[in-house]
Structure formats: structure tokens, C-alpha cells
Amino acid sequence: MPADLEGGPALVVTDVDSTLIQEEVIEELAEHAGTRAEVAALTVRAMNGELDFAQSLRRRVATLAGVPSTVFTEVLEQIRPSPGAQRLVDLVHSLGGHFGVVSGGFEEVVAPLCERMGIDHHVANRLEVAGGVLTGRLLGEIVTSDTKVAKLREWAAMHGVGPERVIAVGDGANDVPMLHSAGLGVAFMAKPAVSAQVPFRLAVQRLDAVSAAWL
């Protein structure tokens, strides 16, 4: 156990898709557009680091044009937290720590999910909606690997803790810089290209297994 984590982390920051939750939200949205197979193929390549994340995201979002904005409620109802996710959030809070999520997914789903799970901080992309339908475009800056690192550091500073008291968890190539920025970075059920770059790995699909780092 890293000595700085004795008694628990001051902050845990996780990715969302395929980490905090079992699904890739953009694939669930694409199901309603009839483009799931195309989007899933692009997602795999992006998460393996074969495609630039921002460019890949724009390509995937473009396929959602015309989908009614009511899709957000439908997808939120389908989302399943990873086994042990809620327990990890509750355990971190019970030790006086804080929990944040950084997502290449979408504010329209991530925000209510975080409220439901009692998560303290979040950042995610936003989808443009006009006339009650998705336009196939994004609003504002895209959440990149650099954004994830910046938010981890911002939240740590907000709570007055150094990176040695932070645990970061993720599964994709765009999570690797964040994992390297934390006191302990954990590759969770990660893609092979990610596991090769991160020394600490979880190969069991229980997010609360992260607590073995301090228990």
C-alpha cells in the first residue's frame, strides 16, 4: 500500500464510460440513430490510441444528427454503474475524501448520474440541441486527456491535497496522462495499449476493488 494512502485517499477521480458505468454512452445514443456499429468501431480505435480522440468524437457525434433530445432520459434509465461503483463512492466519502469524474461523454447524462450517485465533481462534453433534436455538433471545448489532468489538479488544489493523496482510475488511452498525474493511477479493465503504460491494473470488474490500495 502506498504510504500516502494510509487511511484512504483524499480524492478519487475516475473516467465514466466503461469505468464508473458499464456502457459507452455515445454507443447508447447511437443506437437511437441507427449508427451503433459505426460508432462502436470508432470508439474502440480511439480508446486504443489509434485515432485522435477529439477528431474521433466529432465523427461519432456527427452520426447523432436528428435524434430527439428525449434520448438523454432514455439512455440515463439504461445506464448501469459498474459493480462496486456506488460502494467506492460511499467508502471514499465515509473516510472524508471527495469523488470526481472526468468524461469524454456528455453532460446531459453525466450530470444527473453524478447527482444520483452523490459524486462531488464532474466535467463532460455538451451536445448541441436545436428544435428538440441533436444537431450532430458539440458545444464548447472538448474534454481531452489534458482536460482530465487539469481537472484532477484543480479539484486536488480545491481540497488542499497533493497528488500523492489522489487515486485516478480509467480504461482508455486518453486516461493515461491522468493516471500518471495521480499518486496512484489504476488501469481498470483496460485496453491492452493502456495496460502496457500503467503499472497498476485491475482485471476484475469491480470498481470497489480499488480500495485494496489503502485497506
Side-chain angles (χ1 to χ4, degrees):
M1 175 182 69
D4 291 322
L5 292 178
E6 186 172 355
L11 174 67
V12 173
V13 179
T14 76
D15 180 37
V16 176
D17 296 328
S18 298
T19 301
L20 184 74
I21 63 174
Q22 299 178 53
E23 295 81 11
E24 290 282 338
V25 167
I26 194 164
E27 294 178 16
E28 302 303 315
L29 295 172
E31 180 73 27
H32 294 263
T35 59
R36 186 179 190 120
E38 175 187 351
V39 165
L42 289 168
T43 298
V44 169
R45 294 183 64 194
M47 291 302 96
N48 280 330
E50 299 171 21
L51 296 174
D52 175 78
F53 179 79
Q55 292 178 356
S56 164
L57 182 62
R58 288 190 184 96
R59 287 172 61 183
R60 286 176 284 164
V61 167
T63 74
L64 306 179
V67 173
S69 59
T70 52
V71 70
F72 299 131
T73 300
E74 296 176 43
V75 168
L76 185 61
E77 292 174 351
Q78 298 165 358
I79 292 302
R80 299 168 297 161
S82 293
Q86 187 65 65
R87 181 176 181 273
L88 180 63
V89 174
D90 294 343
L91 182 57
V92 170
H93 285 154
S94 74
L95 297 170
H98 298 84
F99 206 101
V101 298
V102 285
S103 179
F106 307 108
E107 172 82 15
E108 296 83 359
V109 174
V110 171
L113 175 69
C114 288
E115 183 176 1
R116 188 167 73 192
M117 296 184 69
I119 290 171
D120 304 295
H121 308 293
H122 75 273
V123 64
N125 294 303
R126 293 181 61 209
L127 291 166
E128 184 180 69
V129 175
V133 299
L134 279 63
T135 66
R137 293 187 294 269
L138 291 155
L139 292 171
E141 295 185 5
I142 291 177
V143 175
T144 64
S145 58
D146 290 341
T147 308
K148 293 187 175 192
V149 171
K151 284 297 178 180
L152 182 150
R153 291 173 176 168
E154 176 187 321
W155 296 334
M158 181 185 302
H159 296 296
V161 299
E164 69 280 359
R165 295 290 314 282
V166 180
I167 294 178
V169 189
D171 73 305
N174 66 330
D175 295 316
V176 171
M178 175 181 74
L179 302 185
H180 288 165
S181 297
L184 177 66
V186 181
F188 177 72
M189 301 295 292
K191 316 302 187 277
V194 176
S195 293
Q197 300 177 67
V198 182
F200 297 97
R201 311 176 189 94
L202 271 182
V204 295
Q205 199 168 11
R206 283 203 64 88
L207 200 59
D208 55 348
V210 171
S211 64
W214 73 82
L215 293 179

